[in-house]
Amino acid sequence: MKEMNMESTDPHRYDDMLDLPHHVSATHPHMSRADRAAQFSPFAALTGFGAAIQETGRLTEERLVLEEDMRRELDEKLQLLKEQIQTCPAASFTYFLQDEKKEGGEYVTVAGNVKKIRETDRMVVLTDGTRIPVEDIIEISGFGGGY
């Protein structure tokens, strides 16, 4: 038992191994330094947790309810656009865009040329293919109707 304690404290106990050649496995391929380092990188147990926190913290807006006179003014502007539809009038629309992941959304403004106004599904279609639901529009501007 005494010998074992003496061996464990001997600072030269592995001196005989210092000059041995480096072992190269015959069965396993050599690992690159990058792969070797990756073994020691921190384990990401909460993968996606940061994205979930960021999504929860993302703010959305509530949809505004327009008063009757504002709704009537928008209807008049849509009617003027409809009368000019053959010329593909340029206009700017501010409308509510519902968020796909959580309650609420945001107000966005797009500008473009109006291709058609579909009354069946109450949709404004721009020449670039953008579709804007009429009930989501809160402002129309920038076209030759005096607005």
Side-chain angles (χ1 to χ4, degrees):
M1 195 75 157
K2 244 182 180 180
E3 281 183 31
M4 192 171 185
N5 284 340
M6 192 173 120
E7 280 183 26
S8 63
T9 59
D10 180 16
H12 300 287
R13 64 183 173 269
Y14 297 113
D15 284 351
D16 62 327
M17 296 174 64
L18 291 175
D19 295 324
L20 291 176
H22 178 72
H23 173 72
V24 178
S25 173
T27 57
H28 299 289
H30 180 70
M31 187 180 287
S32 71
R33 284 183 181 248
D35 290 342
R36 219 166 168 61
Q39 293 181 65
F40 301 102
S41 63
F43 176 65
L46 300 175
T47 303
F49 187 64
I53 289 174
Q54 188 175 13
E55 174 62 27
T56 302
R58 188 172 54 86
L59 299 177
T60 57
E61 297 178 70
E62 288 186 32
R63 182 190 301 258
L64 298 174
V65 177
L66 295 180
E67 294 180 16
E68 188 60 37
D69 59 331
M70 290 181 73
R71 180 57 52 201
R72 195 176 0 233
E73 184 180 325
L74 285 173
D75 286 342
E76 289 173 10
K77 290 179 181 182
L78 282 169
Q79 186 59 42
L80 287 171
L81 280 171
K82 214 185 294 185
E83 292 169 6
Q84 301 173 17
I85 204 73
Q86 296 83 6
T87 63
C88 290
S92 178
F93 299 89
T94 301
Y95 67 100
F96 185 77
L97 183 61
Q98 181 66 44
D99 193 287
E100 294 179 5
K101 296 184 179 180
K102 60 196 287 187
E103 182 129 354
E106 66 178 325
Y107 281 93
V108 295
T109 301
V110 295
N113 294 78
V114 181
K115 182 178 180 180
K116 58 181 147 181
I117 299 173
R118 298 192 317 218
E119 293 195 30
T120 54
D121 55 354
R122 299 200 32 90
M123 190 78 62
V124 175
V125 181
L126 303 182
T127 53
D128 67 0
T130 303
R131 290 168 171 34
I132 305 168
V134 170
E135 64 271 3
D136 294 340
I137 299 173
I138 62 164
E139 185 181 343
I140 303 172
S141 61
F143 69 98
Y147 292 99

